[in-house]
Amino acid sequence: MKFTLSWLKDHLETDASLAEIVERLTAIGLEVEHVDDKAGLKPFVIAKVLTAMQHPDADRLRVLTVDTGDGKPPVQVVCGAPNARAGLIGAFAAPGTYVPGIDVTLSVGKIRGVESHGMMCSERELQISDEHNGIIDLPDDAPVGTGFAAYAHLDDPVIEINLTPNRPDATSVYGIARDLAASGLGRLTGGAIMPHAGEGLCPVKVTIEAPELCPGFALRLVKGVKNGPSPKWLQQRLIAIGLRPISALVDITNYVTFDRGRPLHVFDAKKVAGNLVVRRARDGEKVMALDGREYTLTPEMCVIADDNGVESIAGIMGGEHSGCDENTTDVLIESALWDPITTARTGRTLGIITDARYRFERGVDPEFMVPGVELATKLVLDFCGGTPSEMEVAGYAGHKPKIVTFPLSEVKRLTGIEVPRAEALDILTRLGFEPQGSGEVVKVKVPSWRPDVDGKADLVEEVMRIHGVDNIAPRPLTSHDAVNGKILTTLQVRTRAAKRALAVRGMMEAVTWSFIPAKHAELFGGGQNGLKLANPIAADMSDMRPSLLPGLISAAQRNADRGIGDVALFEVSGTYEGDAADQQRRVAAGVRRGTAKLEGSGRSWAGNAGPVGVFDAKADAIAALEACGAPVDRLQIEPGGPAWYHPGRSGTIKLGPKTVLGTFGEFHPKTLETLDVSGPICGFEVFVDVVPEPKAKPTRTKPKLELSPFQAVKRDFAFVVDRTVEAGTLVRAALAADKKLVTGVSVFDVFEGASLGEAKKSIAIEVSIQPVEKTLTDEDFEALAKRIVENVNKQTGGVLRA
């Protein structure tokens, strides 16, 4: 929201400086983002051209002598403007002046061999309009030697504030002035609007067929207008806030929009056929809007139509057909109320952003609908002349104010500050609220321009922002005698640990969209049973992701498309299988592409690294689970995984027969084809929230086991088993032979050959044995080896290889 200081002072009688106003705006919740005090135009002065001679070497240039009014001899300026002449008074820039319109700092220079000591400027060079056909031509009585900016009223600072969506009342200069006056920075003025007595009824009638979309509509005809340029002061204000002056009638609507937060629209009455109807658009109906673009409408949108069809997209933009131009003589002034949600949805669907939409989707003051027409009528009569008709008002049943029960003790309870009762009620009154009652609990009538105030907490906020949040006394945090207890939840701790573990493994964290295309969701278990968005921001973001893998795979491919084919990415975030709480999971997932292995990727002195594969994904998954506290020594790996993995190069990680902790593997070629991704690429997902909580620690610390003083011993065994036997099953069987002595088992060789027999293989393991109580004798080792062989034979059918 932008406005000038002089514009603000139209409604605020104050002696406060610009700095004080800016500070107070931020203090009362209207945060000032930027202040343009127009200091850049101060060096430009009013100067008079004494002589204008033809340049000796250029037909289109003139050599001017210019009196700058500083009492010094005239300066020589080379100028190419067609209107440069002796006696002209304009804006002069001396050497050293920065000219914003051309982004140049002037210096003394030669133009076609003639020295030029400055520049006579056009309006575009000073960025006050697009006019550049000639230099600025001021009246003969313009005071030579004075500042041009002050003379042209261009030294008016522009203030820009950042509005939150809940403050529709502050989308107007008057509303901002009202807040400043309530804070004690001045007195609110200029609020009264006198009604105009019309001559005869408005010949154009209004019918509202969709009252749920339009609770009120006001219309007035003004005949015999002359639509020329708007006054200079109005143009300057519009230019200052970034709007382009068009014509008096259009500029009036823009001015009232910013001055009072009341968007208006003007129709050329002679272009309107019959009466106006407010209705829902018909499916496929089209309208050519004022921005020169054609829009296709749907029944969810509201329009203003006449006998010829749609004339305006309600609350957003008017139609080109009935727009006002220099030939307009009869004008219809429209002021209406539009449903905020419908306005916002229509604007987003059509991709139209306008000042009217900005205000209607936040909520405008319903009680200013009729005064808005009266204000516009006054300006039209002042600028364009004409004769107004009586006003046509349809559908408006009046505003029913909200009544909020307000216990004054809520101020202390919610803010910790004791605000006296009289002060709190006085603040609310100055803001336009109407407190009623004499006790500690009062009834407060909410003004029509504050649709955001619904409850007592809102009233506390109003009291506090005017009372001043800077009145909150600083207090040190309470210190504790003991160490604080656990702050983070188990899920938060696991999330951090998983991220750290995967980063250590050389993977880079990615943050991908929670919304994915429907075909991607269906590929990864979503689809018809997934969670679809009712109002997606884009067609390819229609579903909540059932898995993190689609986003990570796509991100890896985008890197590959830009020349970074070896990439390892991970993400720890939420997935959504439905809208129930138990259907939303915390997942750690990652992908590796190309040769992005843990030990290195790409070219090296040892040769190129091999492509990533299933075991790289498995190692990442196990590392993430271990970081989350999963008992990795008891995990079970089953071959195969979900359908998006390669059936022969994937696995499922379980804890017991039912608890699935994760999946990993290389991706199915059809998955990669659907995602338009090229390999090699593998990935994993582990379910952080499924990892069981660690058992509660005992109240007394158990004594730690001492290290064994005896030498550890390793023994190798090779077993011949069926080809279908998993190595993990054999390892677990060897571990179970003696849990006290056997501390570790690892596979170091797998061999298949004709010498072993058909459908057989050999698995060689290394068993780590740690004596605890005594040094083991040969007989002890023989007995342990016998138990290992018997246990392996019993559980796998394997026999010791000869």
Side-chain angles (χ1 to χ4, degrees):
M1 174 66 187
K2 291 182 178 181
F3 55 93
T4 64
L5 181 61
S6 65
W7 197 343
L8 176 67
K9 289 187 175 182
D10 281 354
H11 302 299
L12 183 69
E13 187 179 305
T14 180
D15 295 327
S17 66
L18 175 63
E20 291 173 326
I21 291 173
V22 168
E23 182 180 1
R24 183 63 58 86
L25 283 170
T26 300
I28 62 177
L30 303 177
E31 181 185 1
V32 176
E33 282 196 334
H34 179 68
V35 177
D36 183 2
D37 61 1
K38 299 293 184 181
L41 295 181
K42 289 181 179 179
F44 297 88
V45 298
I46 297 176
K48 183 175 183 178
V49 178
L50 301 179
T51 63
M53 306 296 292
Q54 184 66 41
H55 192 288
D57 292 329
D59 293 339
R60 296 187 178 182
L61 297 179
R62 289 179 174 83
V63 181
L64 313 179
T65 55
V66 178
D67 177 14
T68 61
D70 57 359
K72 298 180 181 179
V75 297
Q76 179 173 280
V77 176
V78 177
C79 179
N83 65 332
R85 66 184 188 278
L88 179 142
I89 299 177
F92 172 75
T97 302
Y98 173 73
V99 182
I102 57 175
D103 193 24
V104 168
T105 299
L106 298 179
S107 61
V108 177
K110 287 188 176 182
I111 301 177
R112 301 292 293 268
V114 178
E115 274 195 351
S116 182
H117 297 262
M119 178 180 185
M120 296 296 291
C121 302
S122 69
E123 290 189 358
R124 188 168 74 172
E125 287 156 349
L126 271 59
Q127 290 187 334
I128 59 177
S129 80
D130 292 332
E131 177 59 43
H132 64 285
N133 292 325
I135 56 178
I136 295 172
D137 191 350
L138 298 177
D140 293 340
D141 59 353
V144 175
T146 61
F148 171 74
Y151 171 80
H153 303 290
L154 296 175
D155 57 347
D156 198 3
V158 177
I159 304 170
E160 182 177 3
I161 62 174
N162 181 23
L163 287 181
T164 52
N166 67 321
R167 291 300 307 276
D169 60 302
T171 60
S172 68
V173 180
Y174 185 81
I176 295 168
R178 179 171 49 220
D179 265 18
L180 287 171
S183 71
L185 204 64
R187 185 174 67 88
L188 187 65
T189 62
I193 299 175
M194 299 302 294
H196 292 78
E199 296 184 9
L201 298 175
C202 180
V204 179
K205 303 302 179 183
V206 178
T207 302
I208 300 178
E209 295 182 356
E212 70 279 7
L213 304 183
C214 177
F217 196 106
L219 189 71
R220 167 173 277 160
L221 174 68
V222 181
K223 300 182 67 175
V225 301
K226 184 178 181 180
N227 187 24
S230 57
K232 197 68 175 179
W233 67 265
L234 178 53
Q235 293 188 39
Q236 289 174 344
R237 285 189 175 177
L238 296 179
I239 291 171
I241 63 174
L243 297 181
R244 180 174 61 90
I246 298 174
S247 67
L249 292 176
V250 177
D251 293 353
I252 287 170
T253 63
N254 288 330
Y255 175 76
V256 175
T257 297
F258 280 84
D259 187 66
R260 296 303 184 100
R262 161 37 66 182
L264 303 171
H265 184 62
V266 286
F267 298 91
D268 188 323
K270 292 185 177 179
K271 299 176 182 178
V272 174
N275 294 322
L276 295 179
V277 179
V278 178
R279 58 172 173 81
R280 292 182 179 272
R282 300 185 178 96
D283 195 20
E285 202 166 23
K286 296 183 179 181
V287 60
M288 181 67 71
L290 286 172
D291 60 358
R293 297 172 59 189
E294 186 176 70
Y295 296 96
T296 302
L297 310 177
T298 67
E300 289 75 29
M301 302 173 184
C302 185
V303 298
I304 304 173
D306 63 3
D307 294 348
N308 291 330
V310 176
E311 294 294 352
S312 175
I313 306 172
I316 297 177
M317 185 177 288
E320 187 178 64
H321 170 263
S322 58
C324 294
D325 54 30
E326 66 277 4
N327 298 317
T328 299
T329 57
D330 297 341
V331 61
L332 286 167
I333 304 172
E334 169 255 305
S335 174
L337 302 175
W338 306 110
D339 176 58
I341 295 177
T342 302
T343 304
R345 185 186 296 119
T346 300
R348 192 165 74 175
T349 301
L350 298 178
I352 305 176
I353 300 175
T354 62
D355 294 317
R357 173 195 163 186
Y358 181 85
R359 286 158 177 79
F360 280 124
E361 66 187 7
R362 284 160 173 78
V364 299
D365 181 2
E367 290 290 87
F368 200 77
M369 180 183 74
V370 170
V373 176
E374 299 288 4
L375 177 58
T377 301
K378 177 183 183 303
L379 295 174
V380 169
L381 297 180
D382 290 346
F383 303 161
C384 308
T387 303
S389 72
E390 294 181 8
M391 194 182 306
E392 169 84 5
V393 179
Y396 187 56
H399 172 68
K400 184 179 180 181
K402 289 181 283 188
I403 304 296
V404 178
T405 301
F406 182 38
L408 295 169
S409 59
E410 285 294 286
V411 177
K412 176 66 181 291
R413 187 182 73 84
L414 293 178
T415 67
I417 297 180
E418 190 74 53
V419 178
R421 179 183 187 279
E423 181 183 351
L425 297 181
D426 183 53
I427 288 172
L428 292 175
T429 302
R430 296 200 305 266
L431 287 170
F433 296 85
E434 297 182 26
Q436 300 168 352
S438 58
E440 285 301 312
V441 179
V442 297
K443 300 287 186 179
V444 178
K445 182 187 292 186
V446 179
S448 59
W449 58 84
R450 293 302 301 271
D452 57 301
V453 175
D454 290 312
K456 55 188 179 182
D458 298 322
L459 295 177
V460 171
E461 181 183 356
E462 294 301 301
V463 171
M464 280 312 303
R465 69 185 184 88
I466 301 300
H467 175 74
V469 293
D470 51 346
N471 289 323
I472 300 176
R475 295 176 57 186
L477 293 174
T478 305
S479 60
H480 299 276
D481 296 332
V483 177
N484 290 333
K486 181 179 177 181
I487 298 176
L488 300 179
T489 65
T490 300
L491 200 57
Q492 290 172 325
V493 172
R494 289 177 178 176
T495 298
R496 291 188 176 189
K499 288 182 178 181
R500 188 174 295 112
L502 294 173
V504 166
R505 293 182 60 80
M507 305 184 82
M508 294 180 289
E509 185 175 7
V511 179
T512 63
W513 285 99
S514 297
F515 318 130
I516 61 175
K519 66 176 183 178
H520 292 184
E522 186 175 353
L523 187 65
F524 284 83
Q528 296 298 325
N529 298 324
L531 189 58
K532 291 188 173 292
L533 298 176
N535 193 16
I537 60 176
D540 59 350
M541 291 185 173
S542 59
D543 289 50
M544 298 295 289
R545 61 186 179 194
S547 167
L548 298 180
L549 291 174
L552 290 172
I553 294 172
S554 299
Q557 184 61 39
R558 284 194 295 274
N559 279 272
D561 293 341
R562 288 158 178 79
I564 307 175
D566 302 323
V567 64
L569 304 174
F570 78 88
E571 183 173 7
V572 184
S573 190
T575 61
Y576 309 89
E577 299 170 4
D579 54 2
D582 59 351
Q583 293 179 301
Q584 301 177 20
R585 314 184 74 172
R586 175 68 58 167
V587 178
V591 297
R592 292 182 183 270
R593 189 191 184 281
T595 61
K597 291 175 170 288
L598 174 62
E599 63 270 16
S601 62
R603 301 171 61 186
S604 72
W605 63 270
N608 291 344
V612 295
V614 59
F615 293 109
D616 298 299
K618 175 185 175 183
D620 292 332
I622 297 297
L625 287 171
E626 185 176 15
C628 293
V632 293
D633 56 329
R634 293 191 288 129
L635 298 181
Q636 301 171 10
I637 310 296
E638 293 186 357
W644 50 88
Y645 290 113
H646 192 294
R649 301 175 189 171
S650 59
T652 300
I653 306 173
K654 288 186 173 183
L655 184 62
K658 296 182 179 180
T659 305
V660 177
L661 296 184
T663 60
F664 63 89
E666 299 175 27
F667 293 104
H668 199 289
K670 289 185 177 180
T671 301
L672 300 181
E673 181 181 357
T674 303
L675 296 176
D676 194 20
V677 172
S678 59
I681 185 167
C682 65
F684 72 92
E685 275 188 310
V686 296
F687 309 118
V688 176
D689 50 358
V690 179
V691 177
E693 291 271 4
K695 294 182 179 180
K697 295 181 179 179
T699 54
R700 292 185 179 181
T701 304
K702 293 183 178 179
K704 295 181 179 179
L705 295 176
E706 296 182 359
L707 295 176
S708 174
F710 304 106
Q711 180 68 40
V713 181
K714 295 183 178 181
R715 290 288 185 267
D716 294 344
F717 298 85
F719 294 94
V720 178
V721 297
D722 292 338
R723 188 180 295 167
T724 58
V725 174
E726 298 174 357
T729 304
L730 190 146
V731 168
R732 286 192 293 272
L735 281 169
D738 192 319
K739 295 182 178 180
K740 188 174 182 180
L741 291 177
V742 179
T743 58
V745 178
S746 61
V747 177
F748 67 86
D749 183 57
V750 177
F751 171 74
E752 295 184 22
S755 61
L756 298 177
E758 187 178 354
K760 297 290 184 179
K761 66 180 177 181
S762 169
I763 300 177
I765 60 174
E766 180 186 74
V767 179
S768 299
I769 303 169
Q770 176 61 65
V772 178
E773 299 174 351
K774 64 175 184 175
T775 300
L776 299 182
T777 63
D778 290 343
E779 291 79 9
D780 295 330
F781 281 116
E782 289 296 331
L784 177 60
K786 184 179 180 181
R787 291 198 298 275
I788 291 174
V789 172
E790 289 176 350
N791 214 42
V792 169
N793 178 262
K794 180 179 179 182
Q795 296 190 28
T796 68
V799 296
L800 201 61
R801 183 177 175 185

